[in-house]
Amino acid sequence: MSSCLMAMLAAIALSSFLFTADPKGQLVISNFKVADAKVNSRSQEVGLARFNLTADLTSLFHWNTKQLFIYVTAEYNNSDGTHNEVVIWDRIVLRKEDALVDVVVPPKYPLRDMRYSFKKSSPVRFALKYNLMPYVGALTYGEAARTEPEPFPPKVGKL
Amino acid sequence: MEPAFYRGDLLFLTNPPQQRYNIGDITVYKIPGADIPIVHRVMETRDVVPKKSKRSTEAATPNPEDQLVLTKGDNNPVDDIALYRGLKHLERRHVVGKVRGFLPYVGYVTIAMNDFPQLKYALIGGLGLLALVQRE
């Protein structure tokens, strides 16, 4: 009985490799600013970006999809040369109906740097990525959209 | 890390030493002094470049061992800094592994055996009895 169950689970896990959907969406920056703010009782520069995000990720929902974790990342190098990748927005999608994403993405997690400043940082690229989590089997990752490099804007006052 | 993983789920981990962790990876980490490992997702990676020595002209490349990460539970509104016991970032040596795959409920067998030790003896006894009875 248990070996039969195991074989079935393995078959389901392997079957999800047959679904090779690679959906693409659009990520457009509508507003990107840098301001002074206090985070964790330390005043520093924070980057706040707002996006228009449209993506049809319904093709990722198949019979072995438990949930989809979608997230917007920022990638840049700071003045030390440290390569930084930071999640600035995320969402858990549990139903296929919710996988048709069309949102104005608010700044959810402010972008921060270990130097507390974005001075002399490279331009930043934003990307929409997803992680498909199955009922059983391997986790898979993908990228649905990516913006052009966007230089950090000059600082505008206090938050 | 609900709603993705629940108590009793079996996670398959890898931990290749010379490979950097990517944003979005689900890590299992254990802070020194903490009792239990935590399963949370990587939300920030900082690939710190080693300090350049005066003589070398080559551009320094970041070492995966020096990578700093920050994690967060998918359903949590804030990151894990409060769980790090004073650390600002996780270092690679705190990370036990990366979740690659997963099998639900299997861990409940172990949980049940630990919670009810009688079950363990009953199982061993039952198996022993079967071995005696089912002699070919």
Side-chain angles (χ1 to χ4, degrees), chain A residues 57-107:
Chain A
L57 303 174
T58 47
S59 57
L60 292 170
F61 273 83
H62 51 73
W63 64 338
N64 193 20
T65 304
K66 185 180 193 180
Q67 75 161 46
L68 207 58
F69 185 74
I70 55 177
Y71 49 105
V72 173
T73 66
E75 300 168 16
Y76 68 97
N77 290 338
N78 73 0
S79 53
D80 281 342
T82 302
H83 181 66
N84 300 277
E85 292 185 23
V86 182
V87 172
I88 54 172
W89 179 83
D90 62 8
R91 174 181 278 182
I92 300 171
V93 182
L94 292 166
R95 302 184 306 163
K96 190 173 187 173
E97 296 90 299
D98 298 331
L100 192 64
V101 189
D102 185 1
V103 282
V104 176
V105 176

Side-chain angles (χ1 to χ4, degrees), chain B residues 82-124:
Chain B
L83 302 174
Y84 290 172
R85 295 177 174 238
L87 295 171
K88 285 219 169 115
H89 286 93
L90 278 187
E91 292 162 35
R92 266 303 286 271
R93 59 196 168 90
H94 302 136
V95 180
V96 179
K98 180 193 295 197
V99 178
R100 287 306 179 105
F102 126 101
L103 197 59
Y105 306 123
V106 177
Y108 267 119
V109 179
T110 326
I111 293 175
M113 299 245 191
N114 278 329
D115 288 358
F116 307 102
Q118 303 96 317
L119 204 67
K120 196 159 44 185
Y121 302 125
L123 192 75
I124 295 168

Side-chain angles (χ1 to χ4, degrees), chain A residues 37-54:
Chain A
K38 214 165 196 178
V39 186
N40 297 338
S41 64
R42 163 88 206 206
S43 58
Q44 53 188 287
E45 283 181 21
V46 295
L48 302 166
R50 196 173 278 274
F51 299 92
N52 294 317
L53 169 63
T54 47

Side-chain angles (χ1 to χ4, degrees), chain A residues 104-123:
Chain A
V104 176
V105 176
K108 192 173 179 183
Y109 313 117
L111 185 60
R112 291 169 290 157
D113 192 76
M114 283 165 66
R115 303 216 57 187
Y116 304 112
S117 163
F118 298 107
K119 226 173 262 175
K120 292 186 191 162
S121 288
S122 75

